[in-house]
């Protein structure tokens, strides 16, 4: 026996040739190459090699190859610990060898046919007829594995498997699940047919089917979509998402599915996907369903069935490098989500939004054009608003007086302008009441808006000026006029058609600069602290276009004969206003003041930083702004707004704001007239400064604070590693309990004290925790607590377990209106994910 390989010694009438030596001239070959003559084609070359030796048995025309033997014949390759070739019979017989120490088979045969690989304990192959037999064979196709006691290969490249098994579990020592069949036929790159077939989990048979057709092509393939089954309190037992998938071509496919409920009802759905690389992608989904129960009620057999439908269209297309088309159409009936959805976000949806837009730009310019459509449907009231079309042309900032060199040194070269034009047609459908009758009406509104701005940014030393002049013109073909008829109890509105132009303008100028302050303590690792101060002053002018001089506002006389001015472009009663609104009212000449403070710190480099780069980060920011309108009749000084933000070592984020009022607030009071009748005067801010009355400067009217932090095991990685090393030194058998985790915490607080008699407080705590206490267990939890109302928001707990080839997920909302749970156990393989067990329940059904 060979001491190294446990192989038998060659027979006495044989010739032993080292693997690298030339073979006998009897075979008419060069080094390890044999030219095999075939009947139907030109001679085919068979090449072979072995690490140990090649033994020729000349009389029987046999050849034995020992140790890492390998033979290639066209697209077929076989390797094994030992291979015997019979040149007369044109057969190859390959086997492994048994290790005398471990009793394991080493060098088991491997057959490679095209792009597929087959393993087995023993293998026979006829390279003339292309037939073969594999004992205890196995092959991997796509994400699956096929195993069989006997695998026979036909000349048509089809494999017949006896006592076969199919699985996606890649554990070679123990397959956690598999489909077993006595007869199985495998057609590479096409399909696997088995009859009968049984699903085994942990070697326990669970389900039996008379036959099965399993695709094993690469990519998409047509086939049956296995439905999921479960039970719901409202719908009863159900089968969902069962149907058929059609892989029609490389450019589009179709899925036809349906849901069935034992308490009455069904949902039919068609999903189409299409794509052309570098051009467009999209999908169309249409659903139609009927349910024989009322939402929120128990099942009653005589309930009138409710019909619902939905249509979703998504399309994205790059027409050219400068043009793009995108569409997102979403149409649904009002009760669709309530009847057929278990998703919390969908159940909370009160409106459905659709949009489409074509956009293009001109190469070498800063001009662009977009044509769009929007539709907003309220699923609660049934009203809808559609904008079709919505056309916008934009000319971005240009400098007409700038020279070709673009130096921008002269003052007039800094003058630029931009233009935006927009045309909108809006259709509103809603219910309204006239003389106590509810009418469903359609209202069409159209308009064109032109906006031109002149801008400049000259700089004088350290001060930057930014003047701006804006002209706006709006065109309408409609307005709503009001009138009062003596004896009528109401002011009536009427639609007037014609051409109406509203021309407005405004002007502003601002000045800003930056001031820096530096403090260098050079202690405790602090190299410096920098304070950046950014003051800004602005002036803004807006004329009073509501005055009679401009002629935009109309007037009517009420029942007392008093003249009442109104804006005819803001709508009235049930009639909606114009698409861009009216001109507004009130003159404004105001000066705005703002102050921004930024504090930054520079620290010494870390000891382990080889680049010796100082560390910089922002300590905090503090901003304040206010405005004074000297043409206002009262309350000329606006409130003072404060905002602040800081981040501590990227661990704690804190931001918030406050509003300060300089005016006196008169509390709510009750007054009586001469006849003793009571009148309640609500609280209000009056035109008297606090400093003139009670010595105070300002009054806090609103304050908000938001605190958030995120912690994870990565932040304590170095400390954990040191502790684990210390533990291992004491006891090598002690394992580390360090697990990946992430914790997010947040505090939100807001107090509104505008009216001291009616103070509103809102405070909440947010928390989210995710961790994996083993590589296969993943847990996440999220919740919110309303501190003021002492109410717990909808908490959510999700547990996911990786079961190697299976995956378990459990989602639980233990409290709130949408209290529910959902459990699913499914195969991880993408093509078998429809094989699952699920259970769900809620307060709307069972829990």
């Amino acid at each position: 026996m060979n001491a190294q390989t446990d192989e038998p010694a060659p027979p006495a009438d044989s010739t032993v040739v080292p693997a690298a030596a030339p073979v006998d001239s009897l075979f008419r070959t060069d080094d390890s190459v044999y030219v095999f003559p075939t009947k139907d084609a030109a001679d085919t070359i068979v090449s072979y090699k072995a690490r140990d030796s090649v033994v020729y048995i000349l009389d029987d025309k046999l050849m034995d190859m020992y140790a890492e033997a390998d033979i290639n014949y066209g697209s077929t390759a076989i390797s094994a610990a030992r291979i015997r070739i019979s040149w007369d019979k044109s057969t190859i017989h390959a086997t492994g060898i048994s290790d005398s120490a471990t009793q394991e088979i080493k060098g088991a045969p491997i057959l490679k046919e095209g792009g597929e690989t087959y393993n087995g304990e023993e293998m026979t192959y006829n390279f003339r007829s292309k037939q073969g037999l594999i004992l205890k064979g196995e092959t991997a196709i796509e994400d699956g594995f096929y195993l069989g006691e006997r695998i026979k290969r036909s000349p048509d490249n089809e494999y017949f498997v006896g006592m076969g098994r199919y699985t996606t579990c890649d554990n070679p020592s123990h397959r956690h699940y598999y489909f077993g069949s006595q007869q199985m036929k495998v057609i590479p790159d096409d399909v696997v047919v088995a009859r009968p077939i049984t699903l085994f989990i942990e070697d326990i048979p669970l389900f039996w089917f008379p036959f099965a057709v399993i695709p094993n092509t690469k990519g998409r393939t047509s086939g049956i979509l296995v439905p999921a089954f479960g039970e719901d309190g409202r719908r009863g037992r159900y089968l969902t998402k069962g149907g058929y998938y059609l892989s029609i071509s490389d450019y589009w496919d179709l899925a036809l599915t349906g849901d069935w409920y034992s308490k009455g009802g069904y949902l039919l759905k068609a999903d189409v996907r299409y794509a052309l690389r570098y051009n467009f992608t999209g999908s169309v989904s249409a659903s139609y369903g009927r349910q024989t129960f009322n939402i929120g009620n128990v099942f009653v057999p005589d309930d009138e069935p409710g019909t619902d439908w939905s249509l979703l269209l998504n399309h994205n297309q790059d027409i050219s490098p400068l043009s793009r088309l995108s569409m997102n159409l979403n149409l649904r009936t009002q009760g669709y989500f309530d009847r057929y959805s278990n998703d919390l976000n969908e159940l909370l949806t009160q409106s459905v939004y659709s949009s489409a837009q074509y956009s293009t730009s001109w190469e070498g310019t800063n001009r662009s054009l977009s044509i769009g459509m929007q539709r907003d449907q309220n699923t609660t009231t049934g009203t809808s608003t559609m904008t079709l079309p919505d056309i916008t042309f934009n000319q971005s900032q240009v400098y007409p007086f700038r020279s070709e060199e673009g130096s921008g040194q002269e003052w007039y070269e800094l003058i630029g302008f931009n233009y935006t034009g927009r045309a909108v047609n809006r259709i509103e459908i809603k219910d309204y009441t006239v003389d106590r009758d509810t009418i469903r009406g359609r209202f069409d509104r159209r308009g064109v808006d032109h906006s031109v701005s002149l801008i400049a940014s000259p700089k004088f030393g350290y001060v930057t000026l930014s003047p701006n002049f804006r002209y706006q013109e709006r065109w309408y073909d409609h307005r709503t006029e009001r009138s009062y008829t003596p004896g009528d109890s109401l002011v009536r509105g009427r639609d007037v058609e014609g051409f109406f132009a509203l021309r407005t303008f405004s002007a502003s100028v601002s000045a800003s600069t930056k001031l820096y302050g530096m403090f260098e303590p050079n202690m405790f690792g602090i190299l410096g602290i920098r304070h950046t101060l950014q003051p800004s002053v602005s002036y803004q002018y807006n004329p009073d276009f509501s005055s009679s001089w401009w002629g935009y506002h109309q007037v009517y006389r009420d029942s007392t004969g008093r003249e009442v001015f109104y804006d005819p472009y803001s709508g009235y009663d049930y009639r909606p206003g114009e698409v861009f609104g009216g001109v507004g009212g009130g003159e404004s000449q105001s000066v705005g003041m703002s102050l921004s403070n930024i504090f930054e710190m520079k620290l010494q480099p870390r000891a382990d930083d080889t680049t010796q780069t100082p560390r910089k980060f922002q300590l905090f920011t503090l901003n304040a702004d206010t405005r004074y309108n000297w043409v206002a009749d009262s309350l000329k000084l606006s409130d003072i707004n404060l905002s602040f933000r800081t981040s501590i070592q990227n661990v704690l984020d804190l931001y918030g704001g406050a509003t300060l009022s300089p005016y006196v607030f008169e509390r709510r009071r009750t007054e009586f007239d001469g006849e003793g009748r009571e009148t309640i005067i609500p609280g209000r801010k009056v035109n008297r400064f606090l400093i003139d009355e009670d010595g105070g400067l300002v009054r806090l009217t609103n304050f908000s604070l938001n605190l958030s932090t995120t912690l994870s095991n990565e932040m304590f990685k170095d400390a954990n590693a040191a502790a684990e090393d210390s533990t291992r030194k004491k006891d090598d058998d002690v394992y580390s309990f360090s697990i990946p985790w992430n914790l997010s915490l947040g505090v939100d607080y807001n107090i509104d004290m505008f009216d001291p008699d009616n103070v509103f407080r809102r405070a909440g705590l947010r928390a989210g925790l995710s961790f994996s206490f083993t590589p296969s267990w993943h847990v996440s939890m999220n919740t919110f607590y309303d501190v003021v109302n002492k109410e717990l928001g909808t908490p959510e707990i999700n547990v996911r377990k990786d079961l190697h080839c299976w995956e378990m997920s459990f989602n639980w909302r233990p409290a709130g209106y949408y209290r529910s749970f959902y459990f699913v156990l499914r195969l991880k393989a993408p093509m078998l994910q429809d094989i699952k067990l699920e259970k769900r329940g809620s307060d709307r059904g069972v829990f």
Side-chain angles (χ1 to χ4, degrees):
M1 300 291 291
N2 189 306
Q4 294 181 348
T5 63
D6 292 346
E7 291 283 354
D13 58 347
S14 63
T15 301
V16 179
V17 182
V23 297
D24 195 287
S25 60
L26 172 69
F27 298 101
R28 302 176 289 105
T29 69
D30 57 5
D31 250 6
S32 64
V33 175
Y34 174 75
V35 181
F36 180 75
T38 60
K39 295 181 179 181
D40 302 326
D43 290 353
T44 302
I45 296 177
V46 178
S47 61
Y48 53 86
K49 63 181 180 179
R51 180 176 59 83
D52 185 271
S53 60
V54 178
V55 179
Y56 300 94
I57 305 175
L58 303 180
D59 294 340
D60 298 331
K61 292 190 176 181
L62 300 176
M63 182 175 70
D64 289 336
M65 304 167 63
Y66 296 92
E68 298 180 13
D70 185 85
I71 184 168
N72 290 273
Y73 175 71
S75 61
T76 303
I78 298 176
S79 60
R82 179 180 178 184
I83 295 178
R84 165 168 283 190
I85 302 178
S86 173
W87 300 108
D88 275 350
K89 297 180 181 180
S90 303
T91 61
I92 301 173
H93 184 74
T95 61
I97 58 175
S98 177
D99 190 290
S100 58
T102 62
Q103 301 301 315
E104 294 180 355
I105 301 296
K106 292 187 176 181
I110 299 175
L111 168 65
K112 294 183 179 180
E113 184 73 31
E116 298 175 1
T117 302
Y118 297 85
N119 301 298
E121 292 187 3
E122 187 175 345
M123 192 177 297
T124 301
Y125 181 75
N126 188 300
F127 49 80
R128 181 189 294 273
S129 66
K130 297 185 178 181
Q131 292 182 336
L133 179 66
I134 304 174
L135 300 182
K136 295 184 179 181
E138 175 183 337
T139 182
I141 302 178
E142 284 291 293
D143 295 326
F145 301 89
Y146 295 90
L147 305 93
E149 294 296 323
R150 293 172 60 87
I151 301 178
K152 183 178 180 181
R153 186 191 189 279
S154 70
D156 298 326
N157 195 27
E158 297 178 348
Y159 292 84
F160 298 89
V161 184
M163 302 303 292
R165 290 177 293 168
Y166 169 74
T167 182
T168 58
C169 179
D170 58 0
N171 185 356
S173 60
H174 176 66
R175 308 291 179 173
H176 297 123
Y177 89 97
Y178 57 88
F179 294 91
S181 176
Q182 296 178 355
Q183 300 178 13
M184 186 178 292
K185 180 180 179 180
V186 180
I187 303 176
D189 296 328
D190 189 0
V191 73
V192 176
V193 181
R195 62 177 186 182
I197 191 168
T198 304
L199 173 61
F200 291 83
I201 298 179
E202 296 295 340
D203 297 323
I204 301 175
L206 293 184
F207 300 102
W208 177 89
F209 305 93
F211 70 93
V213 179
I214 304 173
N216 72 336
T217 57
K218 296 180 179 179
R220 301 172 297 116
T221 183
S222 300
I224 296 174
L225 299 175
V226 180
F229 56 90
E231 184 176 359
D232 187 276
R234 295 188 303 158
R235 304 176 176 91
R237 293 182 176 87
Y238 60 79
L239 295 173
T240 61
K241 300 180 181 179
Y244 197 80
Y245 172 77
L246 292 167
S247 177
I248 300 173
S249 72
D250 291 338
Y251 305 106
W252 70 291
D253 55 23
L254 170 65
L256 300 172
T257 60
D259 301 348
W260 171 84
Y261 307 98
S262 65
K263 287 188 176 182
Y266 61 87
L267 178 68
L268 304 177
K269 190 174 183 181
D271 294 292
V272 177
R273 298 184 305 170
Y274 57 89
L276 181 62
R277 184 178 295 180
Y278 309 123
N279 285 276
F280 58 79
T281 61
S283 63
V284 180
S285 178
S287 303
Y288 175 84
R290 288 172 66 86
Q291 284 286 352
T292 56
F293 64 92
N294 290 325
I295 299 299
N297 298 333
V298 296
F299 171 71
V300 179
D302 295 331
D303 279 349
E304 183 69 22
T307 300
D308 294 281
W309 59 268
S310 73
L311 176 64
L312 286 82
L313 169 64
N314 184 274
H315 180 87
N316 293 280
Q317 181 175 357
D318 292 324
I319 301 174
S320 72
L322 299 175
S323 301
R324 178 175 176 79
L325 174 65
S326 61
M327 291 188 293
N328 184 12
L329 179 65
N330 192 341
L331 302 175
R332 301 178 190 269
T333 55
Q334 288 181 247
Y336 184 85
F337 286 141
D338 284 334
R339 296 182 190 272
Y340 298 103
S341 179
N342 289 290
D343 184 85
L344 180 61
N345 293 327
E346 291 182 345
L347 291 170
L348 295 174
T349 299
Q350 295 183 350
S351 63
V352 177
Y353 183 76
S354 302
S355 65
Q357 186 180 60
Y358 166 79
S359 60
T360 186
S361 59
W362 285 265
E363 186 175 4
T365 70
N366 50 2
R367 294 188 293 272
S368 63
L369 173 71
S370 67
I371 304 174
M373 181 277 292
Q374 301 89 33
R375 183 178 185 272
D376 192 357
Q377 175 190 0
N378 191 300
T379 59
T380 303
T381 63
T383 62
S384 65
T385 301
M386 182 170 67
T387 303
L388 177 68
D390 186 344
I391 305 174
T392 302
F393 172 81
N394 184 66
Q395 169 66 69
S396 298
Q397 189 168 322
V398 294
Y399 296 89
F401 307 113
R402 183 167 293 181
S403 61
E404 294 183 0
E405 293 78 9
S407 61
Q409 297 298 319
E410 302 295 336
W411 65 269
Y412 54 84
E413 292 186 287
L414 300 175
I415 300 175
F417 79 93
N418 57 61
Y419 166 79
T420 300
R422 185 182 178 194
V424 172
N425 178 65
R426 187 178 66 201
I427 302 171
E428 293 190 26
I429 298 176
K430 65 178 182 177
D431 297 338
Y432 62 94
T433 302
V434 175
D435 297 331
R436 299 182 180 179
D437 292 331
T438 301
I439 302 174
R440 189 168 183 82
R442 166 175 166 163
F443 303 91
D444 291 39
R445 297 291 184 264
R446 290 167 291 274
V448 179
D449 178 82
H450 306 274
S451 178
V452 180
S453 295
L454 295 176
I455 54 178
S457 299
K459 196 168 185 178
F460 300 92
Y462 297 103
V463 178
T464 300
L465 291 180
S466 299
N468 180 281
F469 178 82
R470 184 171 183 263
Y471 174 80
Q472 187 174 21
E473 186 166 327
R474 281 161 284 183
W475 297 343
Y476 296 129
D477 64 350
H478 169 277
R479 70 183 182 188
T480 303
E481 295 185 353
R482 307 174 197 179
S483 63
Y484 173 75
T485 302
D488 196 345
S489 60
L490 298 174
V491 176
R492 303 289 180 175
R494 65 187 184 95
D495 294 336
V496 178
E497 296 183 353
F499 176 77
F500 306 98
L502 282 69
R503 301 175 180 91
T504 60
F505 63 89
S506 63
S508 66
V509 61
S510 65
S512 62
T513 187
K514 288 185 179 181
L515 303 175
Y516 299 94
M518 183 70 71
F519 173 61
E520 298 179 347
N522 288 321
M523 56 189 303
F524 307 113
I526 302 175
L527 297 179
I529 297 176
R530 186 173 72 171
H531 175 206
T532 303
L533 187 66
Q534 299 181 16
S536 175
V537 179
S538 64
Y539 167 78
Q540 186 173 5
Y541 170 65
N542 289 289
D544 181 11
F545 293 102
S546 65
S547 69
S548 59
W549 191 88
W550 296 95
Y552 295 138
H553 279 207
Q554 302 294 307
V555 64
Y556 71 89
R557 293 186 180 274
D558 61 12
S559 58
T560 64
R562 181 176 60 91
E563 289 187 343
V564 178
F565 285 85
Y566 68 93
D567 181 5
Y569 305 99
S570 60
Y572 181 69
D573 197 10
Y574 59 85
R575 294 177 174 87
E578 303 305 315
V579 292
F580 300 115
V583 296
E587 181 184 2
S588 172
Q589 293 190 50
S590 61
V591 175
M593 295 160 285
S594 66
L595 187 63
S596 175
N597 295 268
I598 303 174
F599 295 88
E600 299 169 295
M601 178 183 289
K602 182 188 291 186
L603 300 178
Q604 290 181 352
R606 295 181 183 273
D608 55 353
D609 187 357
T610 57
T611 64
Q612 293 296 302
T613 303
R615 294 172 289 157
K616 301 177 183 179
F617 64 92
Q618 194 173 92
L619 288 174
F620 66 91
T621 62
L622 176 62
N623 304 315
D625 66 82
T626 187
R627 183 167 291 275
Y628 183 84
N629 183 7
W630 65 64
V631 298
D633 56 358
S634 64
L635 304 176
K636 296 183 179 183
L637 181 63
S638 68
D639 291 343
I640 302 171
N641 299 305
L642 303 176
S643 64
F644 56 90
R645 186 181 191 98
T646 184
S647 178
I648 303 176
Q649 291 293 311
N650 295 323
V651 174
L652 180 65
D653 289 326
L654 185 149
Y655 64 93
T659 303
L660 307 174
S661 175
Y663 292 102
V664 172
F665 186 89
E666 287 189 347
R667 295 176 180 266
R668 173 182 173 180
R669 67 185 187 276
T670 302
E671 293 183 353
F672 297 91
D673 59 14
E675 298 179 0
R677 286 175 296 198
E678 182 182 77
T679 302
I680 298 177
I681 308 299
R684 62 193 179 95
K685 185 166 58 174
V686 295
N687 192 34
R688 301 197 306 270
F689 287 105
L690 286 169
I691 194 171
D692 296 332
E693 295 203 1
D694 57 10
L697 184 62
V698 292
R699 181 176 65 92
L700 180 66
T701 60
N702 186 275
F703 176 78
S704 65
L705 179 66
N706 301 88
L707 218 72
S708 63
T709 183
T710 300
L711 306 175
S712 68
N713 63 300
E714 293 293 329
M715 301 172 62
F716 306 96
K717 189 172 183 180
D718 295 339
N720 290 339
E724 291 171 16
D725 292 340
S726 176
T727 303
R728 292 192 182 97
K729 290 177 181 179
K730 296 178 181 178
D731 188 351
D732 291 339
D733 296 330
V734 175
Y735 294 96
S736 169
F737 287 93
S738 177
I739 60 175
W741 57 271
N742 186 286
L743 175 64
S744 61
L745 301 171
V747 178
D748 304 312
Y749 178 78
N750 180 271
I751 181 171
D752 186 344
M753 299 179 293
F754 176 79
D755 184 350
D757 295 326
N758 295 280
V759 177
F760 297 96
R761 289 183 176 86
R762 290 182 295 273
L765 304 176
R766 293 175 283 110
L769 174 64
S770 63
F771 59 91
S772 301
F773 51 84
T774 71
S776 62
W777 280 98
H778 308 280
V779 180
S780 63
M781 297 176 286
N782 295 280
T783 189
F784 172 81
Y785 181 72
D786 188 333
V787 177
V788 176
N789 298 315
K790 296 181 173 56
E791 292 180 352
L792 184 67
T794 302
E796 186 169 353
I797 301 173
N798 185 272
V799 181
R800 184 169 58 88
K801 168 67 173 174
D802 187 341
L803 300 171
H804 189 245
C805 47
W806 291 80
E807 183 179 59
M808 182 273 292
S809 177
F810 178 70
N811 184 272
W812 182 31
R813 300 187 188 104
Y817 176 75
Y818 292 102
R819 191 164 64 108
S820 62
F821 74 89
Y822 175 60
F823 172 85
V824 61
L825 177 66
R826 74 172 77 213
L827 285 170
K828 290 171 59 177
M831 60 183 176
L832 295 175
Q833 282 194 350
D834 289 325
I835 300 178
K836 61 184 177 180
L837 175 66
E838 63 179 10
K839 180 73 174 179
R840 69 173 76 240
S842 67
D843 278 351
R844 307 167 74 208
V846 295
F847 185 80

